[in-house]
Amino acid sequence: MIEHPLEWNHDQILVGIDEAGRGPMAGPLVVSGVVFPYGYENKELDDSKKLTEKKRETLFSLIKKDALWYDICFVDEPTIDRKNIYKACQDAMIEIAMAAPVSIVLTDAMKLPGVDKNVYSIIKGDHKSISIAAASILSKVSRDHYMQHLDALYPQYGFAKHKGYPTKAHKAALERYGVLPCHRKSYGPVKEALEIKLF
C-alpha cells in the first residue's frame, strides 16, 4: 500500500479520514481520522471491508496505540435526517480535518470545501493510503460496537447481524415492531413504515 500516492513534501505527516455507516437505515454514521508517525508501515492495514472481524478488532487496538493522533466522530440519526447523509459525512470530515494537527489531509473520495489545508480526495483511498485504511477500521469497529449495544437494547431487530443495513430481516422487523429512535427517518424503508403507521 502506498501512503503517498500524490506529490508533496514527504517529510510532513498527514491525516487520513474515512467513514462507516452511510448505507444503513439505523444507527449513527461514524467518521474517523488517523495521523501516523512519518514513515509508519503496516502491511496488514487495508480497507476495513476486506478484513475479517477478528483482524479489524486486532488492528483497532494497534492503530490507537501507534497513532500520533486520532479522532472518532459519531454523527447521530437526527443530524443525518436533517442534513442528508452526504452533507453529514462531509461536515464530520471537515471537523476532523480542521482539528488534526497536520497541514495535509487525505480523504476517501470526499471533497472538503472550506478547509484551509492541503486536501487530497483519493478514489479508493482506503486501499491506497494506510492512514485512510486505518481510519476506515476505526470507524467500522466503533460503529459495530455501537450496533452491538443497540442489539442488546432491541434484540428483536437483529442489529448485531445486519448492523442496521436494509436487509430483508431488518425490514421485516421494522414492519413488525415499528420505528425506533435509532432509525433514520429520511431513509426510504423507514419513511414507508412511518407512513403505514399514520394510516
Side-chain angles (χ1 to χ4, degrees):
M1 180 179 292
I2 303 171
E3 175 63 285
H4 305 288
L6 303 172
E7 291 185 4
W8 57 64
N9 185 349
H10 285 193
D11 63 0
Q12 291 178 282
I13 58 173
L14 54 85
V15 63
I17 303 176
D18 203 3
E19 53 74 28
R22 287 178 68 166
M25 61 183 186
L29 170 75
V30 181
V31 181
S32 300
V34 176
V35 177
F36 282 127
Y38 174 72
Y40 180 82
E41 294 183 6
N42 186 330
K43 293 182 179 179
E44 294 184 318
L45 287 173
D46 202 347
D47 175 6
S48 62
K49 296 184 290 296
K50 297 181 178 180
L51 303 172
T52 65
E53 181 177 357
K54 182 178 180 181
K55 176 60 70 175
R56 286 196 300 265
E57 290 285 351
T58 299
L59 289 170
F60 181 76
S61 299
L62 183 65
I63 290 163
K64 292 195 293 182
K65 180 176 72 71
D66 289 350
L68 293 175
W69 181 93
Y70 70 88
D71 191 13
I72 302 172
C73 176
F74 283 73
V75 182
D76 63 27
E77 300 85 2
T79 301
I80 293 169
D81 290 331
R82 186 177 73 254
K83 292 184 175 181
N84 77 52
I85 188 64
Y86 182 88
K87 188 66 166 60
C89 182
Q90 187 179 57
D91 285 353
M93 288 190 174
I94 290 172
E95 181 179 330
I96 291 175
M98 295 298 289
V102 297
S103 60
I104 297 171
V105 180
L106 305 185
T107 72
D108 187 18
M110 174 68 79
K111 296 185 182 302
L112 304 182
V115 174
D116 188 21
K117 297 184 178 184
N118 296 314
V119 179
Y120 300 89
S121 172
I122 303 170
I123 303 299
K124 296 184 179 179
D126 49 8
H127 185 63
K128 295 176 180 177
S129 162
I130 59 172
S131 297
I132 297 177
S136 78
I137 292 167
L138 290 192
S139 296
K140 171 65 175 168
V141 174
S142 297
R143 189 176 190 282
D144 283 356
H145 288 174
Y146 187 87
M147 297 311 293
Q148 289 163 7
H149 165 70
L150 287 182
D151 186 73
L153 293 177
Y154 311 107
Q156 66 272 36
Y157 285 80
F159 288 126
K161 291 185 178 179
H162 54 64
K163 304 299 190 297
Y165 282 87
T167 64
K168 184 176 180 180
H170 189 184
K171 289 179 181 178
L174 182 66
E175 183 177 344
R176 181 174 181 181
Y177 301 111
V179 176
L180 295 171
C182 63
H183 278 111
R184 301 175 183 179
K185 310 299 188 295
S186 59
Y187 278 49
V190 183
K191 287 174 68 175
E192 291 173 10
L194 287 170
E195 289 169 0
I196 290 171
K197 185 177 180 181
L198 290 174
F199 289 99

